[in-house]
Amino acid sequence: MSILVDENTRLLVQGITGNEGTFHAQRCMEYGTNVVAGVTPGKEGTQHLGVPIFNTVERAIAETEANVSIIFVPPAFAADGILEAIDAGIPLIICITEGIPVLDMVKVHSYLRNKSTRLIGPNSPGVISPGKCKAGLMLGDIHIPGNVGVVSRSGTLCYEVVSQLTKLNIGQSTCVGIGGDALPGSTFIDILRLFREDKDTRAVVLIGEIGSTFEQGAAEFIRNEMAKPVIAFIAGISAPPGKRMGHAGAIITGSAGKASEKIKALSQAGVTIVPNPAEIGLTMQKNISES
Amino acid sequence: MSILVDENTRLLVQGITGNEGTFHAQRCMEYGTNVVAGVTPGKEGTQHLGVPIFNTVERAIAETEANVSIIFVPPAFAADGILEAIDAGIPLIICITEGIPVLDMVKVHSYLRNKSTRLIGPNSPGVISPGKCKAGLMLGDIHIPGNVGVVSRSGTLCYEVVSQLTKLNIGQSTCVGIGGDALPGSTFIDILRLFREDKDTRAVVLIGEIGSTFEQGAAEFIRNEMAKPVIAFIAGISAPPGKRMGHAGAIITGSAGKASEKIKALSQAGVTIVPNPAEIGLTMQKNISES
Amino acid sequence: MKIHEYQAKLLLSQYGIPVPQGRVASTPTEAKEITTELGGKAVIKAQIYAGGRGKAGGIKVASTPEEAERAASQLIGTRLVTHQTSPEGIPVTKVLVEEACEIERELYLSILIDGTARLPLMMASEAGGIEIEEVAQSSPGKISRTYIELAIGLQAYQGRKLAYGMNLHGKQVGEATRLMANLCNLFIAKDCSLAEINPLAITANGKLVALDAKLDFDNSALFRHKDIQKLQDEEQEEALEVQARKWGINNYVKLNGNIGCMLNGAGLSMAANDLIQHCGGRAANFLDIGVVNNTNRVVNSFKMFIADPRVKAVLVNIFGGIARADIIARGIVEAYKQLDIRFPVIIRLAGTNVEEGKRILAESGINFIEAKDFYDGAYKAVEAARDNK
Amino acid sequence: MKIHEYQAKLLLSQYGIPVPQGRVASTPTEAKEITTELGGKAVIKAQIYAGGRGKAGGIKVASTPEEAERAASQLIGTRLVTHQTSPEGIPVTKVLVEEACEIERELYLSILIDGTARLPLMMASEAGGIEIEEVAQSSPGKISRTYIELAIGLQAYQGRKLAYGMNLHGKQVGEATRLMANLCNLFIAKDCSLAEINPLAITANGKLVALDAKLDFDNSALFRHKDIQKLQDEEQEEALEVQARKWGINNYVKLNGNIGCMLNGAGLSMAANDLIQHCGGRAANFLDIGVVNNTNRVVNSFKMFIADPRVKAVLVNIFGGIARADIIARGIVEAYKQLDIRFPVIIRLAGTNVEEGKRILAESGINFIEAKDFYDGAYKAVEAARDNK
């Protein structure tokens, strides 16, 4: 097993004909992902990268039975793309687009509330279940199949952690980038819940950062509902208060957003904290060999 | 038993200090209804009809444990009043106000979708469980306790039917006016479902009218999920097509809105149709004595 | 509330929706002038509150300003009878003089409130220019639908879906999507109950234009739209219904019979009319007196009956709830005092304060027929009307 | 994005929210003239992108136009240091000259996006005039909150709830409710990330007025607000950060150390800074290079390091995903060609197209220090910076 994506994933790419969409859809296909369709309004009837293009998500699903959509639509139009995918009833949306206006995401969340669709991102690097399916930007060959789940707000830091794990021959069940935005579709809790239910996941690496209170939510969940071991790194311990560090999720808001507060909450929930980001792999190795 | 309101009802009156609110709150109290609070912004701290007045529904519930709110707020402000009551978490709202703008009600329904509150009305004559609680405009003394449930889109026609029943000594479990508006909070199905579960209700009178497809919905429900006998009268068989007859719910829209179509659907679902509105009581008497 | 086509088009235009060039004219001379401004050719469209004008001769094409003048003079001042009007038709006092567009295709677009979903519903079809009910029956697959969720508004993807449904391509898709968003804004900003563009035309140069338009408004929301209220043209309505409104009786509908009815509640009023028909008579009107706080509206109802020469008898059937039987009774007594009532009046009172009401009537000494119940009232009214012929 | 108080007040005023009379002045003479217009008395407020002006002497009261002129001349042209600024302070180039209101009470009102509820949150308090964080800590009961649901907007009942929470009475409740609705409209129409009125004053004659106001905007939404974009005052920002933006580097933050950093992704960048600190050094900046499609932004990043005299060594740590290691490598080579690079450069590349990237660097002949992994890069950078002092 694994979570979210696997060998049964039939991937739809919204914005497939754009530069990024093309580049990454191709990399996903090379990895073995079953890309079944693309959506670009006005290009229905054409083919791109060997897959059929449709005007609407509704049509793409009807024709190809796509069950996951990955979104590369530019920020000004991305919320519309997410809403279209929700409305078409797709079970999983992975939104890569960075820089979607916050109020657009408020709309998306208001609409998503009664729906069964799961949204990962926006500003997500994607999801990979090594050896089965890659639906994201990550380099496939730094991953190997295994039993450690990885969930991260940051994309590049997630790659760093995975490469540490892989070098130590610790494989991954699934690696999920929930995205660095202020209003992510899925939070740590949502993904931890899936890892808890996944037989192939024996331990989890959680990579948090300053800003928001998502890590505190995760701590609460881990304390009460998660028996599997979790190790965590929180980026931003050296960040000065009140400085914007790259994206909205990293504004320090109140003391709860500080790295130290997050570390405290996770640590109290029984999570192993890794102080040095270069030693996340080693810590997991130690953790696994002890258990 | 009975449905919606009974001896445990603690009634809050929104708009209690207005003319209609005052008049009908007093009649409800005279009937024995436990009116516990009123809401009129700006009058907190005062008393009216012997009950405490609050600025907000939230405060009124916190202080008096009101569990039903009846709304007499003028149409321009009524949707705000309903939303306030929903937000305050009250389980049942009965909205008497007539003439609320349709788009205001679209807002109310959008907000109500995820909430557990039940809304009766707007433009409802109210609800009465004879001998237990009256929360509405109906004349208490035309009702007697018993085992027939009455559900009606029209208020005055409901009174007429009840007075026919009472003259024949057929008592009522609960009489519910769902209101004549285009977008009612509860439809026939919602109330029929409650009557189905109510031990004290043995038979139901359904009073429909032209416009909308609520009667067809009721027919579907009765055929599939309702074992108790239902008799029905549909007002408007003599109405010329395309004429507005009093309120929005009575515009004939397409053939489904015609009285003949509604009668056909109900009749096919096993409902006894009363062609003459003066013989609804007699029909129920015959129905009861036969069963 | 209805408004004229030319008023609807002005509103559409204010909301960024393209309409043909043109203006309204009240005289043939004006029509001629406008046609000259438009370059000498025009379409002259009778402005009435009813559809079916084309087949009824209400739309004329003029290829010179003089033809336009003649066409306008043939329309203005007449009454137009269409399949949607009464046999007497509706007076034409204004014509819309518009450029004659070259049309490639005719589409359909509308918004109304869907009672089941409790949301505004936008419908579009490639089969425009005809009545949408016909399309719905003959080829329902040609109508695309999308709900407008208030939390997100009409999204671009919904517009695209409908645009593709209308078989649009290329730049027209974006153009249609913006037009739909604008119509949606208008619908919500002005509390419409119906916004319909039929046909939405594609012109020979590929542009979208609202060739005809219908806007109806939610009467309950008019209080917050003074600008829309002002557009009401009472000449287009039944004179008796206009008069009723002036006298504070908002729920009055003229029917074809001879029994004047004063009732309360839409349901009871309809049922009473049904019962009258059941007893072999016909109601002259539907009149829901609504909530009465004083006797005025009762007196005015009797003025309505006197104003309607068809009325041979009057049935008063009031089941008091919000309406109180005592106020109704007082109103009837007042009406007898003020007015010359020559028709038989059958009265059935029940409900709130009925005892007081009956006492007032009994003590007043007025000449009326008491009915003991709902059926008795209808029966006696039918009898009285028959006898009074 | 931040804007000045005077700009925020103009926007508030456009949205129907009362603000004190007054205007902005760029010279003492202007300040004098405005004070005369205002009747001879005024408050002179330094316009800077930071709070805490009052305690820092940035707000002065003038009881004659001459006093106003003097106050303005004491502020304009200086740098103001408050507890929210760097020790160097921020330049004052403009002052807001406003009528001096007589104040009865100071309230608080704001809207921001709540990340947990994923909705705009409106907060109000009777304890205005001080920082809301203090109120939140000392007396949380004094802050009333309400969420703004997009489907229904801010409803009147929510406004009343907050107004009662601010201990308002009578007509002030309706006034406050309208003001809140207006602030909500502004927040949504302009894609604010924060709209704060603190204090919201009740004047001696019982009126509500926005005495101070702060509006921040969602950078991601600026593309649809050209009017807001124009308001940006770059003089108020860190010169290096303004320069970075001009060179296409949007995620640059000046820090206090001496190691220039070129990284990708916010998380990895923060972690790299953490690791540098862990190794005993300090980063000179946070720099997330983002998605690079060509070498320009890499070259510009090196220009930034050269422009910052504190930089003693540079760490490049790129883990390619969207960013490609080959383009980064090409950019570095290009930078060496174009610029005079005198500091040691430590490079660690991984991820997408890393082999190609390493080959390009190796074949270029440039003088750099290769790091074999994340830790090695940070360690060597700290070492190099120490050695280069």
Side-chain angles (χ1 to χ4, degrees):
Chain A
M1 267 168 68
S2 52
I3 67 168
L4 298 167
V5 298
D6 58 24
E7 54 274 36
N8 299 316
T9 295
R10 297 175 63 78
L11 192 66
L12 163 69
V13 183
Q14 288 179 251
I16 194 170
T17 55
N19 282 338
E20 280 189 45
T22 300
F23 181 81
H24 289 289
Q26 202 153 26
R27 296 292 160 285
C28 290
M29 290 160 102
E30 284 163 13
Y31 191 78
T33 302
N34 187 13
V35 176
V36 297
V39 167
T40 299
K43 299 203 176 167
E44 184 154 321
T46 65
Q47 296 249 329
H48 187 72
L49 306 177
V51 301
I53 306 303
F54 298 91
N55 280 340
T56 68
V57 176
E58 197 179 30
R59 285 267 301 143
I61 294 174
E63 297 291 325
T64 68
E65 292 173 32
N67 54 17
V68 178
S69 180
I70 186 164
I71 296 182
F72 288 97
V73 174
F77 313 104
D80 182 63
I82 299 174
L83 289 165
E84 178 175 6
I86 298 169
D87 196 25
I90 203 151
L92 177 64
I93 300 168
I94 300 167
C95 183
I96 304 300
T97 311
E98 182 178 354
I100 301 180
V102 179
L103 279 173
D104 287 8
M105 285 309 300
V106 172
K107 281 190 184 180
V108 167
H109 283 292
S110 297
Y111 192 61
L112 197 54
R113 232 185 270 163
N114 315 305
K115 303 291 192 291
S116 57
T117 295
R118 183 186 299 277
L119 171 65
I120 307 280
N123 193 11
S124 161
V127 180
I128 183 170
S129 294
K132 296 173 181 168
C133 178
K134 168 175 121 83
L137 317 174
M138 65 289 288
L139 204 65
D141 58 17
I142 62 169
H143 299 76
I144 51 171
N147 305 108
V148 169
V150 181
V151 57
S152 173
R153 282 169 72 185
S154 157
T156 47
L157 189 51
C158 189
Y159 311 158
E160 173 61 38
V161 170
V162 168
S163 76
Q164 288 179 24
L165 292 171
T166 295
K167 268 186 199 157
L168 297 166
N169 211 26
I170 303 171
Q172 305 92 42
S173 53
T174 305
C175 303
V176 184
I178 58 172
D181 274 12
L183 304 185
S186 299
T187 61
F188 286 126
I189 296 177
D190 302 305
I191 307 305
L192 288 173
R193 186 171 284 129
L194 295 175
F195 278 138
R196 185 186 63 180
E197 303 307 323
D198 177 42
K199 280 185 207 154
D200 279 0
T201 302
R202 296 212 202 126
V204 175
V205 182
L206 182 154
I207 304 159
E209 59 189 49
I210 53 172
S212 89
T213 57
F214 298 128
E215 289 78 6
Q216 280 86 343
E220 181 84 2
F221 177 81
I222 292 166
R223 180 170 37 224
N224 300 324
E225 302 184 45
M226 182 94 177
K228 297 181 183 181
V230 179
I231 75 166
F233 170 74
I234 305 298
I237 192 89
S238 69
K243 282 275 187 183
R244 286 190 79 249
M245 298 300 255
H247 53 60
I251 299 172
I252 302 189
T253 48
S255 63
K258 281 187 192 164
S260 58
E261 291 290 321
K262 290 165 185 280
I263 288 168
K264 195 170 118 194
L266 286 164
S267 162
Q268 283 171 353
V271 172
T272 307
I273 303 295
V274 192
N276 178 345
E279 291 177 2
I280 298 171
L282 287 169
T283 310
M284 182 51 87
Q285 190 181 42
K286 205 170 145 218
N287 192 297
I288 290 173
S289 64
E290 277 171 5
S291 67
Chain B
M1 266 165 69
S2 51
I3 67 168
L4 298 167
V5 298
D6 58 23
E7 55 274 35
N8 299 316
T9 295
R10 299 175 62 79
L11 193 65
L12 163 69
V13 183
Q14 288 180 249
I16 193 170
T17 55
N19 281 338
E20 280 190 46
T22 300
F23 181 82
H24 289 289
Q26 203 152 24
R27 296 294 159 284
C28 290
M29 289 161 103
E30 283 163 13
Y31 190 79
T33 303
N34 188 13
V35 177
V36 298
V39 166
T40 300
K43 298 203 175 166
E44 184 154 320
T46 65
Q47 296 249 329
H48 187 72
L49 307 177
V51 301
I53 306 302
F54 299 91
N55 281 339
T56 68
V57 176
E58 196 178 30
R59 285 268 300 145
I61 294 175
E63 297 292 323
T64 68
E65 293 173 32
N67 54 17
V68 178
S69 181
I70 186 163
I71 297 182
F72 288 97
V73 174
F77 313 106
D80 183 63
I82 300 174
L83 289 164
E84 178 175 6
I86 299 169
D87 196 24
I90 204 152
L92 177 63
I93 300 168
I94 300 167
C95 183
I96 304 300
T97 310
E98 182 179 354
I100 301 179
V102 178
L103 279 173
D104 287 9
M105 284 308 300
V106 172
K107 281 189 184 180
V108 167
H109 284 291
S110 297
Y111 192 59
L112 196 55
R113 230 185 272 163
N114 316 304
K115 303 292 193 291
S116 57
T117 295
R118 183 188 299 276
L119 171 64
I120 306 281
N123 192 12
S124 161
V127 180
I128 184 170
S129 294
K132 296 173 181 168
C133 178
K134 169 174 120 80
L137 317 174
M138 64 289 289
L139 203 66
D141 58 18
I142 62 169
H143 299 76
I144 52 171
N147 305 109
V148 169
V150 181
V151 57
S152 173
R153 281 168 74 183
S154 158
T156 47
L157 188 51
C158 190
Y159 311 158
E160 173 61 38
V161 169
V162 168
S163 74
Q164 289 179 23
L165 292 171
T166 295
K167 268 187 199 157
L168 297 167
N169 210 28
I170 303 171
Q172 305 91 42
S173 54
T174 303
C175 303
V176 184
I178 58 172
D181 274 12
L183 305 185
S186 297
T187 60
F188 286 126
I189 297 178
D190 301 305
I191 307 305
L192 288 174
R193 186 172 283 127
L194 296 175
F195 278 137
R196 186 187 60 181
E197 303 306 322
D198 178 40
K199 281 186 206 154
D200 279 359
T201 301
R202 295 211 203 128
V204 175
V205 182
L206 182 154
I207 305 159
E209 60 189 47
I210 53 171
S212 91
T213 57
F214 299 129
E215 288 78 4
Q216 279 87 341
E220 181 84 2
F221 177 80
I222 292 165
R223 182 176 30 227
N224 300 324
E225 302 185 47
M226 181 96 176
K228 297 182 183 180
V230 179
I231 74 166
F233 171 75
I234 305 299
I237 191 91
S238 69
K243 282 274 186 183
R244 287 190 80 249
M245 298 299 257
H247 53 58
I251 300 173
I252 302 191
T253 48
S255 63
K258 282 187 192 164
S260 58
E261 291 290 321
K262 290 165 186 279
I263 287 169
K264 195 171 119 195
L266 286 164
S267 166
Q268 283 171 353
V271 172
T272 306
I273 303 296
V274 192
N276 177 344
E279 291 178 1
I280 298 171
L282 286 169
T283 310
M284 181 51 86
Q285 190 181 41
K286 204 170 146 221
N287 193 297
I288 289 173
S289 65
E290 278 172 4
S291 68
Chain C
M1 191 196 117
K2 294 176 178 181
I3 61 172
H4 282 297
E5 177 196 6
Y6 78 92
Q7 297 166 325
K9 283 180 169 170
L10 274 176
L11 276 164
L12 290 182
S13 175
Q14 281 164 24
Y15 277 78
I17 297 171
V19 297
Q21 269 204 294
R23 271 190 297 126
V24 74
S26 304
T27 64
T29 317
E30 268 184 274
K32 183 182 169 187
E33 287 165 11
I34 297 166
T35 306
T36 308
E37 284 169 30
L38 292 172
K41 291 180 186 177
V43 180
I44 316 297
K45 305 174 84 177
Q47 298 296 289
I48 56 166
Y49 279 10
R53 289 172 303 174
K55 286 181 191 161
I59 300 176
K60 297 179 188 296
V61 179
S63 35
T64 66
E66 289 69 30
E67 268 182 52
E69 185 177 24
R70 197 156 53 240
S73 70
Q74 284 163 358
L75 292 170
I76 294 170
T78 65
R79 294 182 78 90
L80 200 62
V81 180
T82 83
H83 74 275
Q84 287 188 8
T85 68
S86 66
E88 303 92 60
I90 309 185
V92 181
T93 59
K94 292 189 174 70
V95 293
L96 176 57
V97 183
E98 274 186 352
E99 59 172 330
C101 301
E102 234 181 291
I103 302 307
E104 204 153 82
R105 285 210 288 141
E106 296 192 332
L107 315 171
Y108 174 89
L109 183 67
S110 73
I111 312 179
L112 45 71
I113 304 287
D114 180 294
T116 308
R118 293 150 168 169
L119 287 174
L121 171 68
M122 182 175 264
M123 293 194 285
S125 177
E126 56 177 306
I130 53 173
E131 286 190 38
I132 197 68
E133 295 91 317
E134 290 174 26
V135 182
Q137 282 204 319
S138 60
S139 36
K142 282 194 176 167
I143 303 178
S144 311
R145 294 152 201 260
T146 197
Y147 287 110
I148 298 157
E149 289 277 355
L150 297 188
I152 61 172
L154 183 79
Q155 288 287 314
Y157 81 87
Q158 297 176 292
R160 289 196 301 270
K161 177 184 143 175
L162 296 192
Y164 292 126
M166 293 192 291
N167 210 6
L168 296 179
H169 301 284
K171 280 188 181 173
Q172 286 169 352
V173 173
E175 213 179 298
T177 300
R178 281 187 295 278
L179 189 153
M180 290 176 203
N182 291 336
L183 190 65
C184 185
N185 290 341
L186 166 59
F187 186 91
I188 288 172
K190 298 295 183 189
D191 279 290
C192 293
S193 51
L194 174 71
E196 189 178 56
I197 302 179
N198 187 21
L200 171 63
I202 303 177
T203 62
N205 58 11
K207 294 285 172 198
L208 290 167
V209 60
L211 212 59
D212 197 357
K214 189 177 179 196
L215 295 179
D216 291 351
F217 299 88
D218 177 5
N219 288 323
S220 296
L222 283 178
F223 70 87
R224 57 190 175 204
H225 302 290
K226 304 289 176 214
D227 57 332
I228 302 297
Q229 278 180 47
K230 276 190 225 148
L231 302 182
Q232 187 153 38
D233 180 357
E234 292 181 343
E235 290 185 63
Q236 295 290 307
E237 300 174 70
E238 278 290 350
L240 280 171
E241 294 177 9
V242 173
Q243 185 58 59
R245 213 165 44 226
K246 282 188 183 150
W247 279 339
I249 303 158
N250 290 317
N251 290 323
Y252 178 97
V253 178
K254 189 183 166 196
L255 298 173
N256 295 326
N258 61 2
I259 300 171
C261 291
M262 185 176 109
L263 308 145
N264 71 321
L268 188 60
S269 302
M270 280 193 283
N273 291 354
D274 293 349
L275 197 50
I276 285 169
Q277 184 168 303
H278 185 85
C279 293
R282 290 301 289 271
N285 63 272
F286 169 99
L287 189 164
D288 169 7
I289 194 143
V291 183
V292 280
N293 299 316
N294 57 51
T295 58
N296 278 346
R297 210 183 296 157
V298 179
V299 173
N300 288 342
S301 296
F302 275 89
K303 286 188 190 161
M304 286 299 304
F305 302 138
I306 291 170
D308 184 349
R310 305 168 308 158
V311 168
K312 301 296 176 200
V314 162
L315 170 63
V316 176
N317 183 54
I318 301 291
F319 210 120
I322 301 189
R324 291 191 235 161
D326 56 333
I327 295 179
I328 300 289
R330 259 184 251 282
I332 296 171
V333 174
E334 193 59 35
Y336 269 87
K337 264 190 216 159
Q338 291 183 17
L339 311 171
D340 181 18
I341 294 176
R342 298 176 177 221
F343 39 69
V345 177
I346 295 87
I347 303 177
R348 186 260 183 143
L349 293 182
T352 308
N353 291 6
V354 63
E355 296 312 323
E356 176 69 2
K358 286 188 173 171
R359 195 189 56 75
I360 291 165
L361 288 178
E363 289 176 3
S364 70
I366 62 166
N367 180 26
F368 72 100
I369 303 167
E370 189 173 357
K372 63 177 197 294
D373 61 24
F374 191 28
Y375 186 81
D376 193 40
Y379 182 83
K380 284 179 173 159
V382 172
E383 216 172 28
R386 197 167 42 223
D387 295 348
N388 191 23
K389 263 183 185 161
Chain D
M1 189 195 120
K2 293 176 180 182
I3 60 171
H4 282 297
E5 176 196 6
Y6 78 92
Q7 297 166 324
K9 283 180 167 170
L10 274 176
L11 274 164
L12 290 182
S13 176
Q14 281 163 23
Y15 278 78
I17 297 170
V19 297
Q21 271 204 290
R23 271 191 295 126
V24 73
S26 304
T27 65
T29 316
E30 267 185 275
K32 184 182 168 188
E33 287 165 10
I34 297 166
T35 306
T36 307
E37 286 169 29
L38 292 172
K41 291 180 186 180
V43 180
I44 317 297
K45 304 173 83 176
Q47 297 296 289
I48 56 167
Y49 279 9
R53 289 171 304 174
K55 287 181 190 159
I59 300 176
K60 297 179 188 295
V61 179
S63 35
T64 65
E66 290 68 31
E67 269 182 51
E69 184 176 25
R70 198 156 52 241
S73 71
Q74 284 164 359
L75 292 170
I76 294 171
T78 65
R79 293 182 78 90
L80 200 61
V81 180
T82 83
H83 73 276
Q84 287 189 7
T85 68
S86 68
E88 304 93 59
I90 309 187
V92 181
T93 59
K94 291 188 175 70
V95 293
L96 175 58
V97 184
E98 275 186 349
E99 60 173 330
C101 300
E102 234 181 289
I103 303 306
E104 204 153 81
R105 285 211 287 143
E106 295 193 331
L107 314 170
Y108 174 90
L109 183 67
S110 72
I111 311 180
L112 45 72
I113 304 288
D114 180 293
T116 307
R118 293 150 167 168
L119 287 174
L121 172 67
M122 182 175 263
M123 294 194 286
S125 177
E126 58 176 306
I130 54 174
E131 286 190 39
I132 197 67
E133 295 90 316
E134 289 174 26
V135 182
Q137 282 205 319
S138 61
S139 36
K142 283 194 175 166
I143 303 178
S144 311
R145 293 153 202 258
T146 197
Y147 287 109
I148 298 158
E149 289 278 353
L150 298 189
I152 60 172
L154 184 78
Q155 288 287 314
Y157 82 86
Q158 297 176 290
R160 289 196 300 271
K161 178 184 142 176
L162 296 191
Y164 292 126
M166 293 193 291
N167 210 5
L168 296 179
H169 301 283
K171 281 188 181 172
Q172 286 169 352
V173 173
E175 212 178 301
T177 301
R178 280 187 296 278
L179 189 152
M180 289 176 204
N182 291 337
L183 190 65
C184 185
N185 290 343
L186 167 59
F187 185 91
I188 289 172
K190 298 294 184 189
D191 279 290
C192 293
S193 52
L194 174 71
E196 189 178 56
I197 303 179
N198 186 22
L200 171 64
I202 304 178
T203 61
N205 58 9
K207 294 285 172 199
L208 291 167
V209 59
L211 213 59
D212 198 357
K214 187 176 179 196
L215 295 179
D216 290 352
F217 300 88
D218 178 5
N219 288 324
S220 296
L222 283 177
F223 71 87
R224 56 190 176 203
H225 302 290
K226 305 288 176 213
D227 57 332
I228 302 297
Q229 278 179 46
K230 277 189 223 149
L231 302 181
Q232 186 154 39
D233 181 357
E234 292 182 341
E235 289 186 63
Q236 295 291 306
E237 300 173 70
E238 279 290 349
L240 280 172
E241 294 177 8
V242 173
Q243 186 58 59
R245 213 164 43 227
K246 284 189 183 150
W247 280 340
I249 303 158
N250 291 316
N251 291 324
Y252 178 97
V253 178
K254 189 183 166 194
L255 298 172
N256 295 325
N258 61 4
I259 299 171
C261 291
M262 185 176 107
L263 308 146
N264 70 323
L268 187 62
S269 303
M270 280 194 282
N273 291 354
D274 293 349
L275 197 51
I276 285 169
Q277 184 168 303
H278 185 86
C279 293
R282 291 298 288 271
N285 62 274
F286 168 99
L287 189 163
D288 170 7
I289 194 146
V291 184
V292 279
N293 299 316
N294 57 52
T295 57
N296 277 347
R297 210 184 295 157
V298 179
V299 174
N300 288 342
S301 297
F302 275 89
K303 285 188 190 162
M304 287 298 305
F305 301 138
I306 290 169
D308 184 350
R310 306 168 308 159
V311 168
K312 300 296 176 200
V314 163
L315 170 63
V316 176
N317 184 55
I318 300 292
F319 211 119
I322 300 189
R324 293 190 232 161
D326 56 332
I327 296 180
I328 300 289
R330 258 184 252 282
I332 296 171
V333 174
E334 192 60 37
Y336 268 88
K337 265 189 214 158
Q338 291 182 17
L339 311 170
D340 181 17
I341 294 175
R342 297 176 176 221
F343 38 70
V345 177
I346 295 88
I347 303 177
R348 186 262 182 144
L349 294 182
T352 309
N353 292 5
V354 63
E355 296 313 322
E356 175 69 1
K358 286 188 174 173
R359 193 190 56 76
I360 291 164
L361 288 178
E363 290 176 2
S364 70
I366 63 168
N367 181 25
F368 72 100
I369 303 168
E370 190 173 357
K372 62 177 195 293
D373 60 25
F374 191 29
Y375 185 83
D376 191 43
Y379 183 84
K380 283 178 172 159
V382 172
E383 216 173 26
R386 197 168 42 224
D387 295 348
N388 191 23
K389 263 184 189 163

